[in-house]
Amino acid sequence: MDRNARIYVAGHRGLVGSAIVRKLTAEGYGNLLLRTSGELDLRDQAAVAAFFAAEQPDYVFLAAAKVGGIVANNTYPAEFIYDNLMIEANVIHSSYRTGVSKLLFLGSTCIYPKMASQPIREEYLLTGPLEPTNEAYAIAKIAGISLCRSYNRQYGTRFIAAMPTNLYGPNDNFDLEKSHVLPALIRKFHEAKIAGAPTVTVWGTGAPLREFIHVDDVADAALYLMRHHEGNDIVNIGSGEEISIRDLALLVKIVVGFEGELVFDASKPDGTPRKLSDVSRLHSLGWRHRIGLEDGVRETYEWFVGQGFPAETM
Ligand SMILES: NC(=O)C1=CN([C@@H]2O[C@H](COP(=O)(O)OP(=O)(O)OC[C@H]3O[C@@H](n4cnc5c(N)ncnc54)[C@H](OP(=O)(O)O)[C@@H]3O)[C@@H](O)[C@H]2O)C=CC1
Ligand SMILES: C[C@H]1O[C@H](OP(=O)(O)OP(=O)(O)OC[C@H]2O[C@@H](n3cnc4c(=O)[nH]c(N)nc43)[C@H](O)[C@@H]2O)[C@@H](O)[C@@H](O)C1=O
């Protein structure tokens, strides 16, 4: 990617988008095209077409999406499928129409079958039923993969797709109802410590296993794939390491310094029992993650505390 290339980072204020902007800026890319959802609603086909015609990006990092944790996905399936289908269809189609040189689409490891054998290889896609709590979002993301592959086949575009596992880091969503598990636990343990509360409630049984990767690693992988990966093969972006939700909660408890007890709320869904991605394709392309989970959680907690309170602003 030429340092003067016109690079559009869709979703630049989000967890992944902001990390990609940090990395591009640090590496001297000064021609970034950035629009908030208020400035450019990517569900609006005409507005997206006008933006692409006017700005003519050379590269597109598609990190804009309707994103949320297990309860958000389970509660708002129509929003998750509609927003994500519209965003990806509009951005990918306009990228084709205006001759974007290369686009990276971000899906998620939740696209794989609920009971896929572990670790999950990219070829397990569409080999079994999906996890019901996030099926709408997963189908939208699978459609995004097909958009990339179909445009590549019919129009000769260079639209690549990567599937990150659960990610976390600075600038995450810390809303207690809509966020993912790691930011929710960081906030819950911190608020309980400040308040001197006796317990922290963890959703589900604590038994499910999840894989986590720091968002700065994901941004690094995104640039690496934009530079080095071609073709229709999707690529998992993960650490290849998993941890139970119970052990994750105990890790956050120690990092935050909370002295109380854990309470498990089994009325909340566990979701898929395991979701460990096979990262051998990513490794064979020459990239590995660098940030370990404990270091990453400590760094994220320090960032979180630095943001200040009151909590309702998070
Ligand atoms: N977080 C995770 O654990 C995982 C995320 N992913 C994927 O990574 C990508 C980024 O996720 P993440 O950074 O966590 O998400 P965030 O929710 O942090 O950011 C999403 C961004 O998308 C933008 N956006 C949402 N709707 C619209 C819209 N209608 N028009 C324009 N922009 C919109 C928002 O812009 P604004 O701020 O301006 O409103 C926001 O900045 C997504 O594709 C997601 O599927 C994959 C696996 C795990
Ligand atoms: C990235 C991925 O993220 C989602 O899938 P998920 O990994 O199941 O999501 P999650 O992080 O919300 O939960 C992981 C586990 O953690 C448990 N859990 C405990 N306590 C809290 C808690 O306080 N909040 C949350 N959210 N979960 C909690 C929770 O019960 C579950 O067992 C989908 O968006 C999917 O589409 C997707 O792409």
Short mmCIF file of all heavy atoms in Angstrom, two decimals, residues 150-209:
data_model
loop_
_atom_site.label_atom_id
_atom_site.label_comp_id
_atom_site.label_asym_id
_atom_site.label_seq_id
_atom_site.Cartn_x
_atom_site.Cartn_y
_atom_site.Cartn_z
N SER A 150 -18.04 -13.64 -4.68
CA SER A 150 -18.83 -13.52 -5.92
C SER A 150 -18.32 -12.37 -6.79
O SER A 150 -18.21 -12.51 -8.01
CB SER A 150 -20.31 -13.31 -5.59
OG SER A 150 -20.76 -14.37 -4.76
N TYR A 151 -18.01 -11.23 -6.13
CA TYR A 151 -17.49 -10.09 -6.90
C TYR A 151 -16.09 -10.43 -7.45
O TYR A 151 -15.75 -10.06 -8.57
CB TYR A 151 -17.47 -8.83 -6.04
CG TYR A 151 -18.80 -8.11 -5.97
CD1 TYR A 151 -19.92 -8.73 -5.42
CD2 TYR A 151 -18.96 -6.84 -6.50
CE1 TYR A 151 -21.15 -8.10 -5.37
CE2 TYR A 151 -20.19 -6.19 -6.45
CZ TYR A 151 -21.28 -6.83 -5.88
OH TYR A 151 -22.50 -6.20 -5.85
N ASN A 152 -15.30 -11.12 -6.67
CA ASN A 152 -13.97 -11.53 -7.15
C ASN A 152 -14.11 -12.42 -8.39
O ASN A 152 -13.43 -12.23 -9.40
CB ASN A 152 -13.20 -12.29 -6.07
CG ASN A 152 -12.83 -11.43 -4.88
OD1 ASN A 152 -12.90 -10.19 -4.95
ND2 ASN A 152 -12.46 -12.05 -3.76
N ARG A 153 -15.05 -13.38 -8.34
CA ARG A 153 -15.20 -14.32 -9.46
C ARG A 153 -15.76 -13.63 -10.70
O ARG A 153 -15.27 -13.81 -11.81
CB ARG A 153 -16.16 -15.45 -9.06
CG ARG A 153 -15.49 -16.52 -8.20
CD ARG A 153 -16.46 -17.62 -7.82
NE ARG A 153 -17.13 -18.17 -8.99
CZ ARG A 153 -18.34 -18.72 -8.93
NH1 ARG A 153 -19.01 -18.76 -7.79
NH2 ARG A 153 -18.90 -19.21 -10.01
N GLN A 154 -16.79 -12.78 -10.52
CA GLN A 154 -17.47 -12.21 -11.70
C GLN A 154 -16.77 -10.97 -12.24
O GLN A 154 -16.70 -10.76 -13.45
CB GLN A 154 -18.92 -11.85 -11.36
CG GLN A 154 -19.70 -11.33 -12.57
CD GLN A 154 -21.18 -11.22 -12.29
OE1 GLN A 154 -21.67 -11.78 -11.30
NE2 GLN A 154 -21.90 -10.49 -13.14
N TYR A 155 -16.23 -10.14 -11.29
CA TYR A 155 -15.67 -8.85 -11.73
C TYR A 155 -14.16 -8.76 -11.58
O TYR A 155 -13.56 -7.72 -11.84
CB TYR A 155 -16.33 -7.72 -10.94
CG TYR A 155 -17.84 -7.64 -11.05
CD1 TYR A 155 -18.64 -7.62 -9.91
CD2 TYR A 155 -18.47 -7.61 -12.30
CE1 TYR A 155 -20.02 -7.55 -10.00
CE2 TYR A 155 -19.85 -7.55 -12.40
CZ TYR A 155 -20.63 -7.51 -11.25
OH TYR A 155 -22.01 -7.43 -11.33
N GLY A 156 -13.53 -9.81 -11.05
CA GLY A 156 -12.07 -9.74 -10.89
C GLY A 156 -11.62 -8.78 -9.82
O GLY A 156 -10.51 -8.24 -9.87
N THR A 157 -12.46 -8.55 -8.81
CA THR A 157 -12.07 -7.65 -7.71
C THR A 157 -11.11 -8.37 -6.77
O THR A 157 -10.94 -9.60 -6.84
CB THR A 157 -13.33 -7.23 -6.90
OG1 THR A 157 -14.10 -8.40 -6.60
CG2 THR A 157 -14.17 -6.25 -7.71
N ARG A 158 -10.47 -7.60 -5.87
CA ARG A 158 -9.57 -8.18 -4.85
C ARG A 158 -10.19 -7.88 -3.48
O ARG A 158 -9.74 -6.97 -2.78
CB ARG A 158 -8.17 -7.58 -4.97
CG ARG A 158 -7.47 -7.92 -6.29
CD ARG A 158 -6.30 -7.00 -6.52
NE ARG A 158 -5.19 -7.24 -5.60
CZ ARG A 158 -4.33 -6.28 -5.21
NH1 ARG A 158 -4.52 -5.03 -5.60
NH2 ARG A 158 -3.34 -6.58 -4.38
N PHE A 159 -11.23 -8.57 -3.12
CA PHE A 159 -11.93 -8.40 -1.85
C PHE A 159 -11.63 -9.61 -0.98
O PHE A 159 -12.10 -10.71 -1.24
CB PHE A 159 -13.45 -8.26 -2.08
CG PHE A 159 -13.86 -7.07 -2.91
CD1 PHE A 159 -15.14 -7.00 -3.45
CD2 PHE A 159 -12.98 -6.02 -3.16
CE1 PHE A 159 -15.55 -5.89 -4.21
CE2 PHE A 159 -13.36 -4.92 -3.92
CZ PHE A 159 -14.64 -4.86 -4.45
N ILE A 160 -10.85 -9.40 0.09
CA ILE A 160 -10.47 -10.52 0.95
C ILE A 160 -11.28 -10.48 2.24
O ILE A 160 -11.79 -9.41 2.62
CB ILE A 160 -8.95 -10.51 1.26
CG1 ILE A 160 -8.53 -9.22 1.95
CG2 ILE A 160 -8.16 -10.75 -0.03
CD1 ILE A 160 -7.06 -9.21 2.39
N ALA A 161 -11.41 -11.61 2.92
CA ALA A 161 -12.24 -11.69 4.12
C ALA A 161 -11.49 -12.39 5.25
O ALA A 161 -10.89 -13.45 5.05
CB ALA A 161 -13.53 -12.45 3.82
N ALA A 162 -11.52 -11.77 6.43
CA ALA A 162 -10.86 -12.34 7.61
C ALA A 162 -11.89 -12.52 8.72
O ALA A 162 -12.85 -11.75 8.83
CB ALA A 162 -9.73 -11.41 8.09
N MET A 163 -11.69 -13.60 9.52
CA MET A 163 -12.65 -13.96 10.56
C MET A 163 -11.98 -13.86 11.93
O MET A 163 -11.38 -14.82 12.40
CB MET A 163 -13.16 -15.37 10.35
CG MET A 163 -13.82 -15.58 8.99
SD MET A 163 -15.26 -14.54 8.77
CE MET A 163 -14.83 -13.68 7.24
N PRO A 164 -12.04 -12.69 12.59
CA PRO A 164 -11.44 -12.58 13.92
C PRO A 164 -12.24 -13.36 14.96
O PRO A 164 -13.47 -13.50 14.83
CB PRO A 164 -11.49 -11.08 14.25
CG PRO A 164 -11.84 -10.40 12.96
CD PRO A 164 -12.57 -11.40 12.14
N THR A 165 -11.55 -13.84 15.98
CA THR A 165 -12.21 -14.45 17.13
C THR A 165 -12.62 -13.33 18.08
O THR A 165 -12.52 -12.15 17.73
CB THR A 165 -11.25 -15.44 17.82
OG1 THR A 165 -11.98 -16.22 18.77
CG2 THR A 165 -10.11 -14.72 18.52
N ASN A 166 -13.10 -13.66 19.30
CA ASN A 166 -13.51 -12.61 20.24
C ASN A 166 -12.34 -11.66 20.48
O ASN A 166 -11.25 -12.10 20.82
CB ASN A 166 -13.94 -13.23 21.58
CG ASN A 166 -15.21 -14.04 21.42
OD1 ASN A 166 -15.34 -14.84 20.51
ND2 ASN A 166 -16.15 -13.80 22.32
N LEU A 167 -12.57 -10.37 20.31
CA LEU A 167 -11.47 -9.44 20.51
C LEU A 167 -11.81 -8.41 21.57
O LEU A 167 -12.97 -8.23 21.95
CB LEU A 167 -11.05 -8.81 19.20
CG LEU A 167 -12.11 -8.19 18.32
CD1 LEU A 167 -12.19 -6.71 18.55
CD2 LEU A 167 -11.77 -8.46 16.87
N TYR A 168 -10.77 -7.78 22.10
CA TYR A 168 -10.94 -6.85 23.22
C TYR A 168 -9.82 -5.81 23.17
O TYR A 168 -8.84 -6.00 22.44
CB TYR A 168 -10.88 -7.61 24.56
CG TYR A 168 -9.50 -8.12 24.84
CD1 TYR A 168 -8.62 -7.40 25.65
CD2 TYR A 168 -9.01 -9.29 24.22
CE1 TYR A 168 -7.32 -7.84 25.87
CE2 TYR A 168 -7.72 -9.73 24.44
CZ TYR A 168 -6.88 -9.00 25.26
OH TYR A 168 -5.58 -9.43 25.46
N GLY A 169 -9.97 -4.76 23.94
CA GLY A 169 -8.90 -3.76 24.01
C GLY A 169 -9.45 -2.37 24.25
O GLY A 169 -10.65 -2.20 24.53
N PRO A 170 -8.61 -1.34 24.13
CA PRO A 170 -9.06 0.03 24.36
C PRO A 170 -10.14 0.43 23.35
O PRO A 170 -10.12 -0.06 22.22
CB PRO A 170 -7.79 0.87 24.16
CG PRO A 170 -6.79 -0.02 23.53
CD PRO A 170 -7.19 -1.43 23.80
N ASN A 171 -11.08 1.25 23.80
CA ASN A 171 -12.14 1.73 22.91
C ASN A 171 -13.24 0.69 22.69
O ASN A 171 -14.03 0.79 21.77
CB ASN A 171 -11.58 2.06 21.52
CG ASN A 171 -11.80 3.53 21.18
OD1 ASN A 171 -12.25 4.29 22.03
ND2 ASN A 171 -11.47 3.89 19.97
N ASP A 172 -13.26 -0.34 23.53
CA ASP A 172 -14.31 -1.36 23.41
C ASP A 172 -15.64 -0.76 23.87
O ASP A 172 -15.71 0.34 24.39
CB ASP A 172 -13.91 -2.57 24.28
CG ASP A 172 -14.57 -3.87 23.79
OD1 ASP A 172 -15.59 -3.78 23.08
OD2 ASP A 172 -14.05 -4.94 24.14
N ASN A 173 -16.69 -1.54 23.70
CA ASN A 173 -18.04 -1.17 24.15
C ASN A 173 -18.20 -1.74 25.56
O ASN A 173 -18.11 -2.97 25.73
CB ASN A 173 -19.08 -1.77 23.20
CG ASN A 173 -20.50 -1.65 23.74
OD1 ASN A 173 -20.73 -1.02 24.79
ND2 ASN A 173 -21.43 -2.23 23.04
N PHE A 174 -18.42 -0.87 26.55
CA PHE A 174 -18.51 -1.32 27.94
C PHE A 174 -19.94 -1.28 28.47
O PHE A 174 -20.16 -1.36 29.69
CB PHE A 174 -17.59 -0.46 28.83
CG PHE A 174 -16.13 -0.74 28.59
CD1 PHE A 174 -15.42 -0.05 27.61
CD2 PHE A 174 -15.46 -1.71 29.32
CE1 PHE A 174 -14.08 -0.32 27.36
CE2 PHE A 174 -14.11 -1.99 29.10
CZ PHE A 174 -13.43 -1.29 28.11
N ASP A 175 -20.92 -1.17 27.57
CA ASP A 175 -22.32 -1.21 28.01
C ASP A 175 -22.63 -2.59 28.60
O ASP A 175 -22.39 -3.62 27.96
CB ASP A 175 -23.21 -0.95 26.79
CG ASP A 175 -24.69 -1.08 27.15
OD1 ASP A 175 -25.18 -2.24 27.23
OD2 ASP A 175 -25.32 -0.06 27.41
N LEU A 176 -23.19 -2.60 29.81
CA LEU A 176 -23.32 -3.89 30.52
C LEU A 176 -24.30 -4.85 29.87
O LEU A 176 -24.21 -6.06 30.06
CB LEU A 176 -23.70 -3.64 31.98
CG LEU A 176 -22.59 -3.00 32.82
CD1 LEU A 176 -23.04 -2.79 34.26
CD2 LEU A 176 -21.32 -3.87 32.78
N GLU A 177 -25.25 -4.35 29.10
CA GLU A 177 -26.23 -5.25 28.47
C GLU A 177 -25.77 -5.67 27.08
O GLU A 177 -25.95 -6.80 26.66
CB GLU A 177 -27.60 -4.55 28.36
CG GLU A 177 -28.38 -4.57 29.68
CD GLU A 177 -28.44 -5.97 30.30
OE1 GLU A 177 -28.89 -6.92 29.61
OE2 GLU A 177 -27.99 -6.13 31.45
N LYS A 178 -25.14 -4.73 26.34
CA LYS A 178 -24.89 -5.00 24.90
C LYS A 178 -23.46 -5.43 24.58
O LYS A 178 -23.16 -5.82 23.46
CB LYS A 178 -25.22 -3.73 24.10
CG LYS A 178 -26.70 -3.35 24.17
CD LYS A 178 -27.00 -2.11 23.33
CE LYS A 178 -28.50 -1.80 23.39
NZ LYS A 178 -28.80 -0.49 22.76
N SER A 179 -22.58 -5.35 25.58
CA SER A 179 -21.16 -5.59 25.25
C SER A 179 -20.83 -7.08 25.25
O SER A 179 -21.66 -7.93 25.56
CB SER A 179 -20.28 -4.91 26.29
OG SER A 179 -20.45 -5.59 27.53
N HIS A 180 -19.59 -7.37 24.90
CA HIS A 180 -19.05 -8.73 24.99
C HIS A 180 -18.55 -8.99 26.40
O HIS A 180 -18.48 -8.08 27.23
CB HIS A 180 -17.91 -8.90 23.97
CG HIS A 180 -18.38 -8.94 22.57
ND1 HIS A 180 -18.36 -7.85 21.73
CD2 HIS A 180 -18.92 -9.95 21.83
CE1 HIS A 180 -18.84 -8.18 20.54
NE2 HIS A 180 -19.19 -9.45 20.58
N VAL A 181 -18.16 -10.24 26.64
CA VAL A 181 -17.88 -10.66 28.01
C VAL A 181 -16.71 -9.93 28.65
O VAL A 181 -16.80 -9.47 29.79
CB VAL A 181 -17.66 -12.19 28.09
CG1 VAL A 181 -16.53 -12.68 27.18
CG2 VAL A 181 -17.44 -12.64 29.52
N LEU A 182 -15.60 -9.76 27.91
CA LEU A 182 -14.40 -9.23 28.57
C LEU A 182 -14.58 -7.78 29.03
O LEU A 182 -14.33 -7.45 30.19
CB LEU A 182 -13.17 -9.41 27.67
CG LEU A 182 -11.80 -9.25 28.31
CD1 LEU A 182 -11.76 -9.78 29.73
CD2 LEU A 182 -10.74 -9.95 27.47
N PRO A 183 -15.05 -6.87 28.15
CA PRO A 183 -15.28 -5.51 28.64
C PRO A 183 -16.32 -5.46 29.75
O PRO A 183 -16.18 -4.69 30.70
CB PRO A 183 -15.75 -4.74 27.39
CG PRO A 183 -16.16 -5.78 26.41
CD PRO A 183 -15.33 -7.00 26.71
N ALA A 184 -17.34 -6.31 29.67
CA ALA A 184 -18.37 -6.32 30.72
C ALA A 184 -17.76 -6.71 32.06
O ALA A 184 -18.03 -6.09 33.11
CB ALA A 184 -19.49 -7.28 30.34
N LEU A 185 -16.90 -7.73 32.06
CA LEU A 185 -16.29 -8.18 33.32
C LEU A 185 -15.34 -7.12 33.87
O LEU A 185 -15.32 -6.86 35.08
CB LEU A 185 -15.55 -9.51 33.12
CG LEU A 185 -16.43 -10.72 32.83
CD1 LEU A 185 -15.57 -11.97 32.62
CD2 LEU A 185 -17.42 -10.96 33.98
N ILE A 186 -14.58 -6.46 32.99
CA ILE A 186 -13.67 -5.40 33.46
C ILE A 186 -14.48 -4.32 34.18
O ILE A 186 -14.15 -3.91 35.30
CB ILE A 186 -12.88 -4.80 32.28
CG1 ILE A 186 -11.81 -5.79 31.80
CG2 ILE A 186 -12.26 -3.46 32.65
CD1 ILE A 186 -11.07 -5.37 30.54
N ARG A 187 -15.58 -3.91 33.56
CA ARG A 187 -16.38 -2.85 34.17
C ARG A 187 -17.04 -3.33 35.46
O ARG A 187 -17.04 -2.62 36.47
CB ARG A 187 -17.44 -2.37 33.18
CG ARG A 187 -18.30 -1.27 33.77
CD ARG A 187 -19.20 -0.63 32.75
NE ARG A 187 -20.20 0.19 33.43
CZ ARG A 187 -21.22 0.75 32.80
NH1 ARG A 187 -21.35 0.61 31.47
NH2 ARG A 187 -22.10 1.47 33.47
N LYS A 188 -17.60 -4.56 35.44
CA LYS A 188 -18.31 -5.08 36.62
C LYS A 188 -17.38 -5.21 37.82
O LYS A 188 -17.70 -4.78 38.93
CB LYS A 188 -18.92 -6.45 36.31
CG LYS A 188 -20.16 -6.43 35.44
CD LYS A 188 -20.67 -7.87 35.29
CE LYS A 188 -21.85 -7.96 34.37
NZ LYS A 188 -22.34 -9.35 34.22
N PHE A 189 -16.19 -5.78 37.60
CA PHE A 189 -15.26 -5.96 38.72
C PHE A 189 -14.76 -4.62 39.23
O PHE A 189 -14.60 -4.40 40.42
CB PHE A 189 -14.09 -6.86 38.31
CG PHE A 189 -14.41 -8.33 38.35
CD1 PHE A 189 -14.53 -9.06 37.17
CD2 PHE A 189 -14.62 -8.98 39.56
CE1 PHE A 189 -14.84 -10.43 37.21
CE2 PHE A 189 -14.93 -10.34 39.61
CZ PHE A 189 -15.03 -11.06 38.43
N HIS A 190 -14.53 -3.69 38.30
CA HIS A 190 -14.04 -2.36 38.73
C HIS A 190 -15.09 -1.64 39.57
O HIS A 190 -14.81 -1.13 40.66
CB HIS A 190 -13.66 -1.51 37.51
CG HIS A 190 -13.14 -0.17 37.87
ND1 HIS A 190 -11.87 0.02 38.41
CD2 HIS A 190 -13.71 1.07 37.83
CE1 HIS A 190 -11.68 1.30 38.65
NE2 HIS A 190 -12.79 1.96 38.31
N GLU A 191 -16.33 -1.63 39.08
CA GLU A 191 -17.40 -0.93 39.80
C GLU A 191 -17.66 -1.60 41.15
O GLU A 191 -17.90 -0.93 42.15
CB GLU A 191 -18.67 -0.89 38.95
CG GLU A 191 -18.53 0.03 37.74
CD GLU A 191 -19.80 0.13 36.90
OE1 GLU A 191 -20.72 -0.70 37.08
OE2 GLU A 191 -19.86 1.02 36.05
N ALA A 192 -17.55 -2.94 41.20
CA ALA A 192 -17.77 -3.65 42.47
C ALA A 192 -16.65 -3.32 43.45
O ALA A 192 -16.89 -3.11 44.65
CB ALA A 192 -17.82 -5.15 42.21
N LYS A 193 -15.43 -3.21 42.93
CA LYS A 193 -14.29 -2.86 43.81
C LYS A 193 -14.50 -1.46 44.39
O LYS A 193 -14.39 -1.25 45.59
CB LYS A 193 -12.98 -2.93 43.04
CG LYS A 193 -11.75 -2.61 43.89
CD LYS A 193 -10.45 -2.76 43.11
CE LYS A 193 -10.16 -1.50 42.31
NZ LYS A 193 -8.77 -1.53 41.74
N ILE A 194 -14.84 -0.53 43.51
CA ILE A 194 -15.03 0.87 43.97
C ILE A 194 -16.15 0.95 45.00
O ILE A 194 -16.06 1.65 46.00
CB ILE A 194 -15.38 1.78 42.76
CG1 ILE A 194 -14.28 1.74 41.70
CG2 ILE A 194 -15.66 3.21 43.22
CD1 ILE A 194 -12.99 2.37 42.10
N ALA A 195 -17.23 0.18 44.72
CA ALA A 195 -18.41 0.25 45.60
C ALA A 195 -18.27 -0.63 46.85
O ALA A 195 -19.10 -0.60 47.75
CB ALA A 195 -19.65 -0.17 44.81
N GLY A 196 -17.23 -1.47 46.88
CA GLY A 196 -17.10 -2.39 48.01
C GLY A 196 -18.18 -3.47 48.00
O GLY A 196 -18.59 -3.99 49.04
N ALA A 197 -18.66 -3.82 46.80
CA ALA A 197 -19.73 -4.83 46.71
C ALA A 197 -19.19 -6.22 47.05
O ALA A 197 -18.02 -6.50 46.77
CB ALA A 197 -20.30 -4.83 45.28
N PRO A 198 -20.02 -7.09 47.64
CA PRO A 198 -19.54 -8.42 48.06
C PRO A 198 -19.40 -9.40 46.91
O PRO A 198 -18.63 -10.33 46.98
CB PRO A 198 -20.62 -8.87 49.04
CG PRO A 198 -21.86 -8.14 48.62
CD PRO A 198 -21.40 -6.82 48.07
N THR A 199 -20.19 -9.19 45.84
CA THR A 199 -20.15 -10.17 44.74
C THR A 199 -20.16 -9.49 43.37
O THR A 199 -20.54 -8.33 43.26
CB THR A 199 -21.40 -11.10 44.78
OG1 THR A 199 -22.55 -10.26 44.58
CG2 THR A 199 -21.50 -11.85 46.09
N VAL A 200 -19.75 -10.24 42.35
CA VAL A 200 -19.92 -9.83 40.94
C VAL A 200 -20.65 -10.96 40.24
O VAL A 200 -20.32 -12.14 40.43
CB VAL A 200 -18.55 -9.59 40.26
CG1 VAL A 200 -18.67 -9.64 38.74
CG2 VAL A 200 -17.97 -8.24 40.70
N THR A 201 -21.68 -10.60 39.45
CA THR A 201 -22.45 -11.62 38.74
C THR A 201 -21.87 -11.86 37.35
O THR A 201 -21.67 -10.92 36.57
CB THR A 201 -23.93 -11.18 38.59
OG1 THR A 201 -24.46 -11.01 39.91
CG2 THR A 201 -24.74 -12.23 37.84
N VAL A 202 -21.60 -13.15 37.08
CA VAL A 202 -21.09 -13.56 35.76
C VAL A 202 -22.23 -14.28 35.05
O VAL A 202 -22.92 -15.11 35.67
CB VAL A 202 -19.88 -14.50 35.94
CG1 VAL A 202 -19.31 -14.96 34.60
CG2 VAL A 202 -18.79 -13.81 36.77
N TRP A 203 -22.46 -13.99 33.78
CA TRP A 203 -23.58 -14.63 33.07
C TRP A 203 -23.27 -16.09 32.76
O TRP A 203 -22.11 -16.47 32.57
CB TRP A 203 -23.84 -13.93 31.74
CG TRP A 203 -24.39 -12.55 31.85
CD1 TRP A 203 -24.77 -11.89 32.98
CD2 TRP A 203 -24.62 -11.65 30.76
NE1 TRP A 203 -25.20 -10.63 32.67
CE2 TRP A 203 -25.16 -10.47 31.31
CE3 TRP A 203 -24.44 -11.74 29.36
CZ2 TRP A 203 -25.49 -9.38 30.52
CZ3 TRP A 203 -24.79 -10.64 28.58
CH2 TRP A 203 -25.31 -9.47 29.16
N GLY A 204 -24.34 -16.90 32.70
CA GLY A 204 -24.18 -18.29 32.29
C GLY A 204 -23.58 -19.15 33.40
O GLY A 204 -23.55 -18.78 34.57
N THR A 205 -23.05 -20.30 32.99
CA THR A 205 -22.51 -21.27 33.95
C THR A 205 -21.01 -21.07 34.21
O THR A 205 -20.46 -21.65 35.14
CB THR A 205 -22.69 -22.70 33.40
OG1 THR A 205 -21.91 -22.80 32.18
CG2 THR A 205 -24.15 -23.01 33.09
N GLY A 206 -20.36 -20.31 33.32
CA GLY A 206 -18.91 -20.16 33.43
C GLY A 206 -18.15 -21.27 32.71
O GLY A 206 -16.93 -21.21 32.55
N ALA A 207 -18.88 -22.25 32.21
CA ALA A 207 -18.24 -23.42 31.59
C ALA A 207 -17.78 -23.19 30.15
O ALA A 207 -16.78 -23.76 29.73
CB ALA A 207 -19.21 -24.60 31.63
N PRO A 208 -18.48 -22.33 29.37
CA PRO A 208 -18.06 -22.19 27.96
C PRO A 208 -16.60 -21.76 27.85
O PRO A 208 -16.07 -21.08 28.73
CB PRO A 208 -18.98 -21.10 27.41
CG PRO A 208 -20.18 -21.15 28.27
CD PRO A 208 -19.66 -21.50 29.64
N LEU A 209 -16.01 -22.17 26.74
CA LEU A 209 -14.62 -21.78 26.46
C LEU A 209 -14.61 -20.72 25.36
O LEU A 209 -15.39 -20.81 24.41
CB LEU A 209 -13.82 -23.00 26.00
CG LEU A 209 -13.60 -24.07 27.07
CD1 LEU A 209 -13.30 -25.42 26.43
CD2 LEU A 209 -12.47 -23.67 28.01
#
